[in-house]
Each structure stands twice: as C-alpha cells, then as structure tokens.
Amino acid sequence: MTIVSRLLLVVFLMLAAASMAQAQAEITQAPSQAQINQTPGQAIPATKDQVQIYTPPQSQIIGRVSIPDEKAAVLIQPEGRVWRVFRTTTLRTVAGVSILGMFVLLALFYLIRGTIHIEGGRSGRRVLRFGSLDRFAHWMTAISFLVLALTGLIVTFGRPLLIPLVGLNAFAMVAENAKLAHNFFSAPLVLGIVLILVLWVRDNIPEKDDITWLRSFGGLFSKKSKPPEAGRFNAGQKGIFWGVVLGGGALAATGFMMLTPFAFTGILGMQIVHVIHGVLAALMIALIIAHIYIGSLGMEGAFEAMGSGEVDENWIKDHHHRWYKEQHAAKRAKSGSGFGQRPAE
C-alpha cells in the first residue's frame, strides 16, 4: 500500500469516528432538546396535572419489594388524594363551621336569654355538690382537653393562618411543640375520662325524668318556667357526660392508632382513622364550648360546683331539686341534721 493510500485510509477512519461520535451525541441529547423546544399539543402534557402520574388511576399501582414493609410497594393510591382534600379543605371547613357556629349560637342565646339567675336569689347557705376527687377528675380532664384542642387547631389551621403572621421558621417551632404537647396531654385526658366514668356513671344512667327535662330543655329557653326536677345530673349534663366518655374514648383510640402508625392497619386505614379523629375532635370542641358557657357566664352559681365544690342551696333547689331532697332526707335520717348546710363565708 502506498503512502497516499495509507493517508487516505487514516483520514477516512478519522471522519468515520467523528461521524459516529456526533450521531451518538445527537441520540443522547435528542430527548432533552426536544423537550425544551417542543410546543404542547394534544398528546403532549402542558402542565404536571396532565402527566399520567398526577391523574387519578382506576386502582392502586403496586410493585414488589423484598423488604418486610409491604406498604412501600404502593406507588399510587387514589384514596390518598381524597384524604389530602379532606385534610386541607374538608376538615378545616367542618371545624370552622362547628366551632364558629357554636360561638354565634351562644352569643345569640346570651343576647336573648341572658344569664340564668338563681330564682329567689342566694340563700347564703352552702351545700356540698362535688368532693375533691370529683373536682380533680373534672379539671384534669378539662385542662388536658383544652390543651389538646388548642394544639390540634394549630396543626389543622396553622399553615393558612399562622405562617402569614409569624413566618415559616416560627410556625415550624410552634407546630413542633404543639405536636409534642398534643401527644403528652393525651395520657392525662384518658386517665381523667376513666376517673369520671368510675365516679359518675351511676348517676348518669338515663331515666324517665330525663324525658321531662328534654321536653322543656331544662327551662333554658324560658324566663318564666322553672327547670324540672332532676337528680344529681340532669339530661343535658348526662348528654355532656356520655359525649365526653364515648367521644373521648374514640378520640383516644384513634389517637393511639395515629401514634403507632401502621401497627393495626394499612395506608387506607390510617387515612380513615385520621378522618374520624379530626371530625370527632371538631364536634367535641363545639360541645365543650357550650358546656363552658353554661358552667360560667350562662348560669349564675354553676361554676361554684367545680370551683369550691359547694353551691348555694337555692341553686341546687332550682336545678337538682330531686337529688337535693334525696340527699337531705338521707342526711337527716342518719344524723338528724340538715344536709351539708353551712352559712356562706
């Protein structure tokens, strides 16, 4: 082979190698370049919402994993989108309407009815209503529930309400502490519910007189009619009691399942548990707001029952006359003296 032929062969091989390298580069860069230069069409997604992974599939997309955590194989779960809408929209609506609606109703009730005063005024004689253990159980439950309600509302409404006010960093610190307090105060709440169940369940069994109380709603809406006679707890208080015991028990159960994720159920089950916990908590907050109102501003002398444990004799006659008579008769039969009376200090 002559020198010219060898030179031509070398040049040809160099040109062929350069051509192959250029073709390979075009193949590698083609998808990204085409993606940059393409214009949206019928078959090309224009936004992330049009990409297949963001459109709700008809069923779950589940792969296979070799690790024990089988839920890691779930790639797409359509119910998760429903839960996300509930958490970011529905729950806030339910909680907002329930809580703010209760405040509005109570404000209207106060404007129309005003404070329910003791008929005949105070007598100056005190009657023991609740002992120290009763009040301990009540206040432990009440304080724990208020802390849980406040921290739960921070978690639910914090992002849209607090971030614009305090910023991301401050909200992150508040939310973290709220979550820790929420978990910590769940224990005394459960203990308090168990205590009030043991202490008061006997006096909260529904009875025939409760129907009479419910028909007039305890005289709350009438300034002229006297409240019907009731035992230690009237029908309204029994409703609060069973609402706290059953509702609080359900909150405790669902909350425990959320504290131990996936120990009892899968992804869908955890989402359902959160729905139950959130809705029930919102309704219970509204119920307790009404209870706080009646026990303070709404009724004269009511707070004293859980404050000092003693109430005015005329108050107990107005609202729990049957129980007062029963206790008075039992005390008189036992010692020959009046029931738990002493002059006001």
Side-chain angles (χ1 to χ4, degrees):
M1 181 177 293
T2 63
I3 296 177
V4 174
S5 299
R6 292 177 179 177
L7 290 174
L8 290 175
L9 179 60
V10 171
V11 171
F12 175 77
L13 292 175
M14 292 176 64
L15 291 175
S19 178
M20 292 178 64
Q22 182 178 1
Q24 182 66 32
E26 291 178 355
I27 292 174
T28 304
Q29 298 176 1
S32 58
Q33 189 68 28
Q35 187 176 11
I36 294 174
N37 297 328
Q38 71 182 1
T39 56
Q42 293 182 350
I44 300 176
T47 65
K48 69 176 185 179
D49 294 327
Q50 298 177 3
V51 180
Q52 180 62 32
I53 194 171
Y54 290 96
T55 58
Q58 297 300 318
S59 60
Q60 290 183 338
I61 296 180
I62 303 177
R64 289 183 295 180
V65 293
S66 58
I67 60 178
D69 189 3
E70 295 183 357
K71 64 180 180 295
V74 179
L75 302 178
I76 294 179
Q77 187 221 19
E79 295 84 0
R81 297 182 179 88
V82 179
W83 172 77
R84 181 178 59 193
V85 172
F86 165 81
R87 178 173 56 85
T88 58
T89 304
T90 308
L91 178 58
R92 292 171 183 170
T93 302
V94 171
V97 170
S98 301
I99 297 171
L100 295 179
M102 181 58 71
F103 277 115
V104 171
L105 289 176
L106 292 175
L108 292 174
F109 180 78
Y110 181 76
L111 292 175
I112 297 172
R113 182 65 172 86
T115 301
I116 301 172
H117 295 286
I118 300 173
E119 186 175 353
R122 293 180 177 270
S123 67
R125 294 182 296 273
R126 310 292 289 175
V127 175
L128 180 63
R129 174 79 169 139
F130 291 111
S132 56
L133 182 58
D134 294 307
R135 299 199 305 278
F136 171 78
H138 172 271
W139 286 115
M140 180 170 63
T141 307
I143 293 172
S144 300
F145 182 85
L146 291 177
V147 173
L148 291 170
L150 179 61
T151 53
L153 291 175
I154 289 174
V155 173
T156 302
F157 292 99
R159 295 189 66 84
L161 295 183
L162 294 182
I163 289 179
L165 296 177
V166 302
L168 286 170
N169 292 333
F171 171 71
M173 181 180 65
V174 171
E176 181 179 5
N177 290 320
K179 180 180 180 297
L180 293 175
H182 198 84
N183 296 342
F184 176 81
F185 277 89
S186 60
L189 176 71
V190 173
L191 178 58
I193 291 174
V194 172
L195 275 176
I196 64 174
L197 175 63
V198 173
L199 292 171
W200 300 340
V201 65
R202 183 181 61 180
D203 298 311
N204 279 279
I205 303 300
E207 54 188 356
K208 186 171 63 176
D209 286 347
D210 294 334
I211 299 175
T212 304
W213 193 96
L214 289 172
R215 284 174 179 171
S216 63
F217 208 74
L220 295 178
F221 293 98
S222 176
K223 295 183 179 181
K224 297 181 179 180
S225 62
K226 187 176 181 179
E229 292 193 358
R232 190 182 187 192
F233 298 104
N234 58 41
Q237 292 168 325
K238 289 178 180 179
I240 297 291
F241 172 84
W242 289 112
V244 170
V245 169
L246 298 179
L251 284 178
T254 53
F256 179 76
M257 295 177 71
M258 294 168 68
L259 282 172
T260 54
F262 308 110
F264 303 96
T265 183
I267 297 176
L268 178 60
M270 291 299 301
Q271 292 164 351
I272 294 174
V273 165
H274 178 261
V275 170
I276 296 173
H277 190 85
V279 172
L280 190 57
L283 297 178
M284 282 199 64
I285 291 174
L287 177 69
I288 296 304
I289 289 172
H291 175 62
I292 293 173
Y293 167 80
I294 291 296
S296 56
L297 182 63
M299 182 179 293
E300 180 187 5
F303 181 80
E304 298 166 14
M306 280 301 171
S308 65
E310 295 181 335
V311 295
D312 190 86
E313 186 180 46
N314 284 346
W315 183 91
I316 202 71
K317 287 180 179 179
D318 283 351
H319 302 286
H320 303 276
H321 197 187
R322 179 166 60 83
W323 179 76
Y324 171 77
K325 290 188 296 185
E326 292 170 354
Q327 297 298 312
H328 185 73
K331 182 71 174 181
R332 176 172 293 179
K334 182 177 180 180
S335 62
S337 61
F339 160 58
Q341 301 178 6
R342 67 178 183 86
E345 296 178 355

